[in-house]
Structure formats: structure tokens, C-alpha cells
Amino acid sequence: MLNVADRLESVGFSNIRKIYEKANQLSAKGHQIYNLILGEPDYSTPQIITESGTSSIYKGETHYTSNYGLTELREAIAQKLQIENNINASASEILITTGATEAVFASIVGILNPGDEALIPVPTWPHYEACCNLAGATPIGVPISFNNGTFSLNPYEIEKRITQHTRLLILNTPGNPTGMMLDNDTVIEISKIAIKHNLIVISDEIYEKLIYDNADHVSIASLPGMHERTITINGFSKAYAMTGWRVGYLHAPENLLNGLVRLHQYNVTCLPVFTQRAATTAILEAQEDVESMRKEFNRRRDLMVSILNRSKFLDIKSPNGAFYLFINIKATGKKSDQLVLDLLEETGVAMVPGTAFGDAGEGYVRISYAAKDEILINSANKIVNYLDTALTNEGNKQESLQ
């Protein structure tokens, strides 16, 4: 029998997609499903962006571009990084990628050698670990702590896991699935550790425009000594509702970028011109649309937290970023996989088990509040009612048996 490469045995299929497929199966059988699974805005791409992309097609811009991407888009991104992120960026340090996903893949596989180690705060998006495995490297989890309903990362937990094989540190702020943001003091301490141990840092900032409560986003590449060792990743999917356009980018010092573009060249070649035109318009002309969506996500976050907090079985506070709630369910006494399945089958509410984000996610579930009010309100009430009825009844049964 013919087989694929052994390296593919190190990566499995996403557990997020597994529960998504289960929800689709139930939906096909006629069940009402309330989908809170995928990390995708429920908005259509703003009209000004869509018109820019379609206009490009009608103009006949259907040919190759530079491997690096359109000059106009790279210049706009460099200006954005300078003004909004305080990163001393130039267009020659920008690579346009097929979404932030390809930027992450190219950066991790392009940096790590077999036998290297990469530090990753966990729980987190599983893509990072999978890319490390494909590179033949070892992902090392750094636990994110949960205290008083708030997620945080202690720089000491990073440093104590550094070995002679550690080459890379991967950060995601605001984070998926926790919504955690790294504050200024934490980012400064992490930067000192990276410099001390000569680490390269990948900073995935895809959710940076979806921030609440006047929290400050800090790009680690803006700090002294970090420009030359940081790859900053971002894209247009989340903030601009452009998931299907597949436009992302990375910023890196030229000595690193010149290597990473080779992976991009042989894998993707370049993005379509029309998607890059649309992205250029997004970054230059669609900030009002972004702010409108951000305010709406903020309102939805508060709505969901207010309802879910009625349950004594849930421990949750409002995250500062992204559009997820990572909910502590340990008081239910159930494993996250089982609780998610129970809720899906009994209430039709589809969410993601914390274990989809690694072993550190056990005891949590993730829901996305990128959905309309009707779905959110019905889902939250169904979750609360199910937990407070079913679990209370289970507790009463156990007491009667004692």
C-alpha cells in the first residue's frame, strides 16, 4: 500500500472541525443547531472592499504579481505598522501571504530545524504545534494561568523552559481561544528573555483590532532589540470580515524574510491581484467599518457574559480581545469533550471543547460570539438551563444513592 510521508503522522485533523462536522450531521437530520464554533465574523465583507476587488477583476488584473506581493499593499502595511504598532517597518520587510495561516506556517517551518524546540503559551490555536511537528521540531507548552476568571502569562514560566535547543517563542495576543492580551509590562519582560537567550519571536496579532475596555495592544517588535528578531503576523480575515479572501502578511527583518519568501514562492507563488487590491482598500479606507464591527462584538461579548454568568457551573469574565469566550466548566465535573457533546445533542448548541486547543484546555469550552443576537441569546439560555437542570438533577440522584 502506498503511504504519505511519515511527517504527516505527527499532525491530526482539527478537533474544531470534528465537532463542526457532527453539528452538520445533526442539522442534516432536521435538528436545530446553534453554531458557536468557528472563528469567523458573521458580517459580509464591507462594500467598499468588495467593490475594490471586483473592479480589479473587471480591469483585467488577473495576472501574477511579485512573490512578495503588490508594492502598494506592502507600502500601506508598512505605514500601518509604523503608525499603529510603532514598528520601524519598510515595504521591503513585508511578505503578502495566503491568510495569516500561511504566514504562520512559513515562519515556523522556515525557522525551525529538526531537533529545535519552540515555546508556545497554551492552551492555544493548534496550528502552531502542528507546524512545529511538520518541521521536525518539538513544541513546548508554557501554561497560561487562570486566576479570578482572568487569563495571564508569567514570563518566568517561559524562561524556566528554555534549553540549549530552544530557538523560537510563539506569541498570540489577543489570543485564541482565551481572548487574553499581554500587557505592556509582560511584553517588556518577555522581550528581555528573548534577547538574553537569543530567541526568534513570532508574534501573531491577527485579533489586534478587536480589543475592548480601552486595553492597549503592544507589538513586541516595537521594543528595543526586538525588530531584528521578531516576525509579526497579521491579516484581514478577522477585523475586516475577509476570511474567504485569504489575505495575510508577515513583517520580518530582511535577512529572515529573504528565506521565508522561498517557502512562499514554491508553495503559493503569489496571491491574486484582486484580493490584494481589496486588502489595500481595506487598510486605507475601511477603518469605520472595522470600528463598527468591533463595537458590535463588544456588545455581544457583554450580552453573552451577562447570561452565562447566571449559571453556578460556569466561571467566566469578559476577555479583552478577539470574539471568543473560553469558559471554565470544572464545576460541572465533566470532561470538556463530553460536555460539548451532551450540549450539542440535548440543546443543539455547538461549541468547541477546550481540548481542541491542547491538553491544557481540559476543563474549558470555547464559544464564538460572532453570531446574531437571536442565536447568542437562545444559545446562552439553553446552556444555562441545561446545566442548572441536568447537573442539579444528577447531583440529587447521587445524593439519594449515598
Side-chain angles (χ1 to χ4, degrees), residues 159-230:
E159 186 159 32
K160 77 178 187 179
R161 287 169 173 78
I162 294 175
T163 72
Q164 61 179 344
H165 302 293
T166 308
R167 178 169 170 79
L168 182 65
L169 169 64
I170 301 172
L171 302 175
N172 177 211
T173 179
N176 174 15
T178 61
M180 178 188 72
M181 289 187 62
L182 300 178
D183 60 43
N184 185 65
D185 291 342
T186 300
V187 176
I188 290 173
E189 289 304 310
I190 292 174
S191 73
K192 292 177 181 177
I193 291 170
I195 293 169
K196 176 182 175 181
H197 296 279
N198 196 30
L199 303 181
I200 295 173
V201 176
I202 293 176
S203 182
D204 183 350
E205 304 178 12
I206 188 68
Y207 295 100
E208 66 154 344
K209 288 188 176 292
L210 301 178
I211 292 174
Y212 319 109
D213 305 326
N214 297 313
D216 291 324
H217 171 72
V218 182
S219 294
I220 196 167
S222 68
L223 301 180
M226 293 306 297
H227 179 279
E228 58 267 34
R229 66 177 63 253
T230 302

Side-chain angles (χ1 to χ4, degrees), residues 49 52-66 69-73 96 242 245 247 270-281:
I49 299 173
S52 176
T54 54
S55 175
S56 175
I57 293 174
Y58 287 131
K59 289 177 182 177
E61 293 185 325
T62 56
H63 301 279
Y64 291 128
T65 70
S66 161
L70 285 180
T71 298
E72 299 94 314
L73 176 55
I96 307 304
M242 293 177 66
W245 296 78
V247 188
C270 64
L271 270 70
V273 180
F274 73 89
T275 63
Q276 297 188 65
R277 292 291 187 205
T280 305
T281 298

Side-chain angles (χ1 to χ4, degrees), residues 80-287:
K80 179 266 181 199
L81 290 173
Q82 293 168 13
I83 295 172
E84 296 183 7
N85 303 85
N86 296 315
I87 297 174
N88 184 22
S90 64
S92 62
E93 298 171 328
I94 305 292
L95 174 64
I96 307 304
T97 60
T98 308
T101 303
E102 190 221 338
V104 170
F105 176 86
S107 298
I108 293 176
V109 175
I111 294 298
L112 293 175
N113 294 309
D116 286 343
E117 295 176 352
L119 301 177
I120 310 172
V122 291
T124 193
W125 186 43
H127 194 71
Y128 306 127
E129 180 177 343
C131 290
C132 291
N133 289 332
L134 288 171
T138 302
I140 305 295
V142 180
I144 293 171
S145 62
F146 181 80
N147 297 307
N148 299 318
T150 301
F151 292 97
S152 61
L153 177 63
N154 186 343
Y156 169 74
E157 296 294 336
I158 294 174
E159 186 159 32
K160 77 178 187 179
R161 287 169 173 78
I162 294 175
T163 72
Q164 61 179 344
H165 302 293
T166 308
R167 178 169 170 79
L168 182 65
L169 169 64
I170 301 172
L171 302 175
N172 177 211
T173 179
N176 174 15
T178 61
M180 178 188 72
M181 289 187 62
L182 300 178
D183 60 43
N184 185 65
D185 291 342
T186 300
V187 176
I188 290 173
E189 289 304 310
I190 292 174
S191 73
K192 292 177 181 177
I193 291 170
I195 293 169
K196 176 182 175 181
H197 296 279
N198 196 30
L199 303 181
I200 295 173
V201 176
I202 293 176
S203 182
D204 183 350
E205 304 178 12
I206 188 68
Y207 295 100
E208 66 154 344
K209 288 188 176 292
L210 301 178
I211 292 174
Y212 319 109
D213 305 326
N214 297 313
D216 291 324
H217 171 72
V218 182
S219 294
I220 196 167
S222 68
L223 301 180
M226 293 306 297
H227 179 279
E228 58 267 34
R229 66 177 63 253
T230 302
I231 301 171
T232 301
I233 291 172
N234 212 321
F236 296 82
S237 292
K238 311 299 184 179
Y240 297 93
M242 293 177 66
T243 52
W245 296 78
R246 308 310 303 135
V247 188
Y249 63 88
L250 64 84
H251 167 266
E254 288 190 47
N255 63 307
L256 294 180
L257 190 74
N258 289 337
L260 302 183
V261 72
R262 291 177 230 167
L263 268 174
H264 175 74
Q265 172 184 314
Y266 290 111
N267 185 35
V268 175
T269 304
C270 64
L271 270 70
V273 180
F274 73 89
T275 63
Q276 297 188 65
R277 292 291 187 205
T280 305
T281 298
I283 207 167
L284 295 177
E285 301 181 45
Q287 298 313 308

